[in-house]
Amino acid sequence: MGLFDRKKPAVGDAPPPPPPEPPVSTRPKVGLALGSGVARGWGHIGVLKALHNLGLKPDVIAGSSVGALVAGAYLVSRLDVLEEWCRDLNKLRIVRLLDFKIRSGGLVGGNKLVDEMLEHFGDVNIEDLPIPFVAVATDLLTGHEVWLRKGSMIDAIRASFSIPGIFKPIQSEGRWLVDGALTNPLPVSVCRALDCQCVIAVNLTGDTMGKNKAPGANIPTAAGFDLIPFMAEAGMDERISLLDPFTKRIFRRDSDKEPSMFGVMTASLGIILDRITRSRIAGDPPDVHIAPRLGHIGLLEFDRAAESIAEGEAAVERAKPWLLDAMQLYNIKPR
């Protein structure tokens, strides 16, 4: 028989049946992008609770900075634990969580916060989460956006909220990583890349007009609080004495009419986040844009969780018509 000869089937032989087609899912994937916003991030808790009440559960979550933190709590079913913890925060407890490392590449080491996350969330790998999760960080050397999709969830979150100058950068696989908000503060693009047909984005930085809501305020509330007196009230006189004059100058206001150096840094960060977010949304808009009105809450006012959570729920209520339209358009069933 030659190389190109073919054996002819016998008369009556049937051709072999084709292999079965794999089942095709007609259900679209829903992506949830949780943006950065430092203390305003507690608003994400209210958003997630309200979306749950609507029966909207994401298939993918991408978080940047504090958005990654809240997403992690949600994915390990500890959102209620995080809510209780942040509602109990006051300025004294916030100060006690700050482990100052002035010569470490940041004012705060962040080890105490990592210990709190390990205690409440557990040591979980991203691969073991129920749905895909991405924490966005930034390569300090190249400026590239980095998507953290494997390994320790706590380490990924810690890298994602490493605000330059405040938190010490995290070294991972030969890279120094800082806050993901520097490159992608509202990671809609991450959800799109993970094949999500419907993307819901929660933007915490768009309420620039809200900065003027504090009645009688001499400076914007975004400038934060004067840290040194609260450290003294918390019984940290010994720690204050270890701070050099320059460090004390960073945190202390000269008067009620002027922000501290630290306040200027955080307020400037808020402006940067807002401008980058606007640019990213213009290039890759979400299907539903949820924008809590949190401009009146300073970026370091972590003790105002109750207001932030309530406004997160209110923002979902305002966006409800668009959410319901998206569910109908994409045939998303409540679950």
Side-chain angles (χ1 to χ4, degrees):
M1 180 178 292
L3 179 63
F4 297 103
D5 291 340
R6 293 289 186 267
K7 181 183 178 181
K8 296 182 179 179
V11 177
D13 283 356
E21 293 288 338
V24 178
S25 174
T26 57
R27 183 183 176 278
K29 290 172 67 174
V30 177
L32 181 62
L34 299 183
S36 58
V38 201
R40 297 168 189 165
W42 302 146
H44 286 314
I45 298 175
V47 169
L48 285 167
K49 290 170 61 178
L51 291 178
H52 176 79
N53 292 336
L54 286 176
L56 258 176
K57 294 184 179 181
D59 301 289
V60 171
I61 297 185
S64 188
S65 198
V66 70
L69 169 63
V70 178
Y74 173 81
L75 290 170
V76 295
S77 301
R78 295 291 188 276
L79 192 65
D80 56 338
V81 175
L82 177 63
E83 179 178 359
E84 181 180 0
W85 181 83
C86 69
R87 284 182 181 273
D88 287 340
L89 282 177
N90 53 42
K91 287 183 173 63
L92 301 185
R93 290 190 64 190
I94 294 169
V95 170
R96 290 191 178 106
L97 287 171
L98 303 179
D99 50 337
F100 291 102
K101 304 285 184 182
I102 306 299
R103 298 178 182 177
S104 67
L107 296 173
V108 178
N111 293 331
K112 290 185 177 181
L113 290 172
V114 169
D115 291 342
E116 288 282 337
M117 287 191 291
L118 285 170
E119 178 183 347
H120 293 98
F121 300 167
D123 190 9
V124 181
N125 284 331
I126 294 175
E127 300 93 318
D128 299 326
L129 295 173
I131 62 174
F133 166 63
V134 179
V136 179
T138 301
D139 188 317
L140 185 60
L141 178 62
T142 66
H144 292 166
E145 183 178 334
V146 178
W147 296 359
L148 301 172
R149 302 179 58 183
K150 61 181 180 179
S152 167
M153 183 187 78
I154 300 299
D155 289 348
I157 293 171
R158 172 64 180 86
S160 187
F161 69 61
S162 295
I163 302 172
I166 297 179
F167 286 107
K168 176 183 176 181
I170 295 298
Q171 191 172 26
S172 174
E173 298 182 355
R175 299 176 298 193
W176 285 103
L177 301 180
V178 292
D179 201 316
L182 294 181
T183 49
N184 197 351
L186 190 61
V188 173
S189 58
V190 179
C191 295
R192 297 286 185 206
L194 296 183
D195 199 30
C196 293
Q197 288 76 41
C198 178
V199 178
I200 302 168
V202 185
N203 177 13
L204 303 177
T205 63
D207 184 25
T208 54
M209 299 302 293
K211 293 178 181 178
N212 298 317
K213 287 182 181 177
N218 292 319
I219 59 175
T221 58
F225 55 86
D226 194 343
L227 190 63
I228 302 298
F230 288 105
M231 290 178 68
E233 191 176 344
M236 295 183 174
D237 296 319
E238 182 178 350
R239 184 175 294 184
I240 294 173
S241 66
L242 295 175
L243 301 177
D244 57 45
F246 176 72
T247 303
K248 293 176 183 178
R249 176 67 186 88
I250 290 175
F251 292 107
R252 176 173 284 142
R253 292 175 181 167
D254 287 336
S255 71
D256 290 340
K257 296 182 179 180
E258 296 182 19
S260 67
M261 186 183 301
F262 194 53
V264 173
M265 289 168 55
T266 55
S268 300
L269 174 63
I271 295 171
I272 293 170
L273 296 184
D274 175 48
R275 296 302 169 180
I276 297 176
T277 299
R278 288 170 185 254
S279 176
R280 297 297 298 242
I281 290 177
D284 196 355
D287 296 282
V288 181
H289 184 192
I290 299 174
R293 297 167 183 166
L294 295 170
H296 63 291
I297 293 180
L299 292 178
L300 296 179
E301 293 182 316
F302 290 96
D303 53 319
R304 300 177 69 177
E307 297 173 64
S308 297
I309 294 170
E311 174 52 27
E313 294 178 293
V316 172
E317 186 63 29
R318 291 193 297 271
K320 189 175 179 179
W322 291 274
L323 287 165
L324 295 178
D325 284 348
M327 293 175 71
Q328 182 178 15
L329 176 65
Y330 291 103
N331 194 29
I332 300 170
K333 305 297 183 185
R335 56 191 179 116

